[in-house]
């Protein structure tokens, strides 16, 4: 499930997979509306952690519970990569993903986050990307997480540029749909 945020930390794009998973539409996930799908016990943790992430403008990983369309909750792990652009490495926002995970029983029963390299877990079969652009974004996020393991750091600038472009294209698709009245 792909998402994009702007420089203010507001969600500008949620994928159709997020909408199907949560039973909510794109408009209700925009801004900070996505927080309404986070488990009530995890919501304050999410707000606090993501506020610090936004201030640091770093990669992050965050594990929490997300409400499914049927009202039950599933554990998900999400994270994002910051995008920077001109002039002077201006912070533009994040491109990230969420993946449903099975609990192994060894994790804490609470939401938590880390400021560190984001390596997405393998995709969940129930939330396959619905467009080629979302599939590309998924693969770019996975490649970004794996690059340091292969000692190919010289590829990071190009990969980050590709992530920024994918995020802009995804956000633009929603913005154009909103302007055409799709959400109204």
């Amino acid at each position: 499930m792909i998402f994009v945020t702007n420089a203010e930390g507001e969600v500008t794009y949620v994928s159709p997979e997020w909408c199907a998973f949560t039973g909510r539409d794109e408009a209700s996930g925009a801004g900070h509306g996505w927080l309404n799908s986070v488990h009530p016990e995890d919501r304050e943790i999410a707000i606090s952690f993501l506020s610090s992430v936004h201030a640091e403008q770093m990669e992050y990983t965050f594990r929490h519970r997300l409400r499914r369309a049927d009202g039950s909750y599933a554990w998900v792990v999400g994270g994002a990569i910051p995008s920077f652009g001109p002039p002077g490495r201006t912070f533009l926002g994040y491109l990230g993903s969420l993946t449903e995970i099975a609990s192994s029983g060894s994790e804490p029963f609470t939401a938590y986050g880390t400021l560190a390299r984001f390596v997405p877990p393998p995709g969940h079969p129930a939330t396959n990307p619905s467009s080629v652009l979302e599939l590309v974004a998924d693969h770019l996020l996975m490649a970004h997480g794996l690059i340091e393991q292969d000692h190919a750091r010289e590829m990071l600038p190009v990969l980050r540029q590709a992530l920024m472009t994918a995020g802009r294209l995804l956000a633009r698709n929603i913005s154009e749909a909103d302007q055409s009245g799709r959400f109204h």
Side-chain angles (χ1 to χ4, degrees), residues 21-120:
F21 187 90
T22 63
R24 302 183 70 211
D25 64 17
E26 294 121 358
S28 66
H32 298 289
W34 65 273
L35 282 165
N36 293 322
S37 294
V38 173
H39 192 284
E41 293 175 12
D42 299 345
R43 203 167 292 144
E44 286 303 316
I45 296 167
I47 292 167
S48 176
F49 175 72
L50 294 173
S51 292
S52 67
V53 162
H54 185 74
E56 296 290 330
Q57 300 174 351
M58 294 178 56
E59 288 179 51
Y60 70 89
T61 301
F62 186 65
R63 183 178 175 274
H64 65 283
R65 291 167 286 184
L66 188 65
R67 187 175 52 237
R68 291 184 175 114
D70 67 6
S72 66
Y73 285 89
W75 283 101
V76 296
V77 65
I81 311 293
S83 291
F84 299 93
R89 285 189 40 89
T90 302
F91 177 63
L92 303 173
Y94 284 96
L95 172 64
S97 69
L98 292 167
T99 303
E100 183 178 0
I101 56 171
S103 178
S104 69
S106 64
E107 299 97 358
F109 292 108
T110 183
Y112 66 90
T114 58
L115 288 173
R117 178 151 305 289
F118 172 53
V119 180

